[in-house]
Amino acid sequence: MLNPHPPSNWGPPGAPPPPPGGPADTSKGPKVEDFTEAIPKLQRARMTSYIQAILRIKDDTGEIKPWSYNNREHWGAPVDGDSSLVFARCSRQTEKSSTMSAVGVIESCLYPRFEFLYVSPAFSNTKDFSVDRVDPLIEDSPWIQKYRVSKRTKKAVQTKNFTNGSVMRFRYAYHTADRTRGIRADRLCIDEMQLIRPSNVPVIERTLTHSNYKRRFYVGTPLSNSNHMEYWWKKSTQCEWIVPCLSCNTWNILGEKNIGTHGPICSASRCRRPLNRRNGQWHAFNSGGEHLGFRITSLMVPLNSEPGGWLDWKNDVLVPYEIYPKVQFYNEVLGLPCDDAMKALTREEVIGACQNGPQLRMEPDLYTQSTRMFAGIDWGEGRPSRTVLTICGFYNNKFTPVCIRRFEPNESDPQFVLDEIVRLIHAFRCVIIAPDASEWGSNGELARRCGGWERVYPMAYTGSGPKFAYKPETHKISINRTHAMDEMFMDIKQRRVQLPTWVDMEKYESDFTSPHVEFSPKIFTRTYGLGHDQTDDTLHAFIYAKLGAEALRLYSAGELG
C-alpha cells in the first residue's frame, strides 16, 4: 500500500506541481481578446491556459467549443511540465495525438519563426495526424484564422506555415530517418515511439541541433520490456496517476486490480469501492529522473456517462479484458509492457550453425579465389550502430561469410571506412556489392571505384510488399524487412546457411540474437525490434550479401535489369 498522505514530488526539481483540480480554468488564464500581434511570453501562463483560450474543437454534435481540460486533469502536468523532454507511455485512445497537435499548433502560433516537427513510423499515421488533428484546430479557431492564417499561408499534408513565420512539418521514419535530414526543429514530437527503430532516434534528434528551445515530446504504446521505449521510461521520473480511495484511504496505481463492473474500483480486497479518478494526482516514483515521464491508461480517461467523456467502459475495458490476449490488453488498455516478446534466434541456434564452418580471414586464399564472392554492407549511423562489411561465398554448397569487418567507434572516419571496404572488395574479387541504400553518396563512390552500377545493387528495406523487388528507375532493390529477416532466421535454425567457426563468430553473436519478435496491432503486423544500445548490423550485412547473390542469379536469368 502507498503512503496514505498525498505525495508532493510529482516531478523533478523546477517542474511546476499539478494545480489542485487540474489545469487552470480558462477564466484564470489569458483571454482571446488579450492577444495582439505582440504575443506575451509563454512563461507568463501555463501552456494549458493558452490552449484553452485559443483553440476550438468540434464535439460529437458538430458544435464548435473551446478546448477544455476540465475532466482531463491528468494531461495538465505533461503539457505544462518544465522539462526539455516529456515522455508519455500511453494506452490506446487516451488523446495523445490530440494533445501533441494542440501543443504544436499553440507553440507555432505564439512563437515567431517557431519550427515544429512531427514524426511517426508510417505515412498513414502522419497523414491522419496532419489532416485529422492539426487542420481542424487551425480551421475552427477564430483567433488563429484572424491573426495567423492568410491566403498566402500554406496548408499541405507535410507542411503548414503561419503569418508569423512559424512552420509545422510532418514526416515519417520507419526503417530509415532519411526524410528528417536537413530539417531544423524547435519542437520535436515522435508518435508511436515503440515502432521507431532505436538507431533512428539520434538521427531525428539532430533536427534540434541549432534550436534555442530543443523541446521534445515522445509518446507511444508499450509493447514488451525489451522494446526501446522502456529505456526512455527507466530514465524518466516514472510518474503514475494515483487515486485515493475515500473509503479506506488506499492510494491506487490504476491497473488490472482496479477494473470494476461499471468503472475503476479500489484495489484493496477488503474494500473494492468505486474510485473517482478525478481525485488522483501525479506521483514520481523516480524523482531523480533525467526527464518527465508519465503513464496514461484508459482507466484514467473520462467515461461516456460524464460530460465530454467518450470511454465506453463495457466495450473499451471489460470486453477487451475478456477476449484480448494478456499482452494486447496490458499494452492497449493498461499502458503497460508485457513480456511475451520472443528472441528471434537463440545463442544455441547460432552455435549450431557454426559447426564445421570455415575460419574468418582478412585476406583471400585459394578457397576464396576459386568461388564467387558477394559483399554486403550495413552503413552505421553512429553509436551504437556500426558499419559492417561481410564478404560471403558458397562453402559446401551453403552460403557462408568468409570475412567480416566491423568498424569500431575509433575507426569512424568516413574516408578510412570507405577505403578499407574498397580494398577488401578488390582483394576478394567480389562480383556483386549489396550495400544499405541509406548512404547514397557512399554507394555512388563504391560504384565509381568498384566497377560501376552493374556490380553495385543498393538494398532498401520496406515495411510491406514483396520480399525482393528491383526498381530500375532508382537502381535499388526493395526488400520487405520482416520477410527477409524471417528467411534468414529460418535458414540459420535449419542450417541452410553456414556460419564461421564459433571461435570467430562469438564476438558477433549479439548482432544475431538481439532482435526480438513483437506484434504491433497498430500496423497489424509482426515486427523485429531491438532494445536500446543493441545492434544487429552484422546480421543485416549478411542478409544484404545473400540477397546480392540472389540478384546475380536473377540478372543471369534475364529477370533483373
Side-chain angles (χ1 to χ4, degrees), residues 48-99:
T48 48
S49 296
Y50 284 93
I51 289 174
Q52 292 180 116
I54 293 177
L55 297 185
R56 300 293 182 264
I57 55 174
K58 288 182 181 178
D59 62 15
D60 294 338
T61 66
E63 181 181 357
I64 297 178
K65 295 183 177 180
W67 185 294
S68 175
Y69 282 99
N70 183 34
N71 216 4
R72 291 165 174 80
E73 293 79 8
H74 53 275
W75 274 114
V79 172
D80 290 328
D82 182 19
S83 174
S84 62
L85 170 59
V86 175
F87 176 77
R89 191 168 74 170
C90 306
S91 60
R92 299 291 178 199
Q93 304 303 318
T94 52
E95 297 188 309
K96 55 184 184 293
S97 295
S98 298
T99 300

Side-chain angles (χ1 to χ4, degrees), residues 470-489:
Y470 176 65
K471 296 184 176 181
E473 65 276 10
T474 58
H475 190 63
K476 291 181 182 179
I477 293 177
S478 176
I479 308 166
N480 185 304
R481 182 175 183 268
T482 300
H483 289 182
M485 293 178 73
D486 281 345
E487 184 174 286
M488 177 57 74
F489 290 137

Side-chain angles (χ1 to χ4, degrees), residues 223-227 327 331 338-347 349 482 485-486 489-490 493 512-520 526-531 534:
L223 293 176
S224 71
N225 281 299
S226 300
N227 188 274
V327 174
N331 295 166
C338 190
D339 270 321
D340 114 339
M342 301 182 301
K343 276 198 171 293
L345 204 63
T346 66
R347 178 184 174 93
E349 288 168 334
T482 300
M485 293 178 73
D486 281 345
F489 290 137
M490 192 56 64
K493 290 173 186 287
F512 287 78
T513 58
S514 290
H516 57 267
V517 184
E518 291 177 333
F519 177 76
S520 173
R526 177 175 46 80
T527 62
Y528 289 103
L530 282 177
Q534 292 182 328

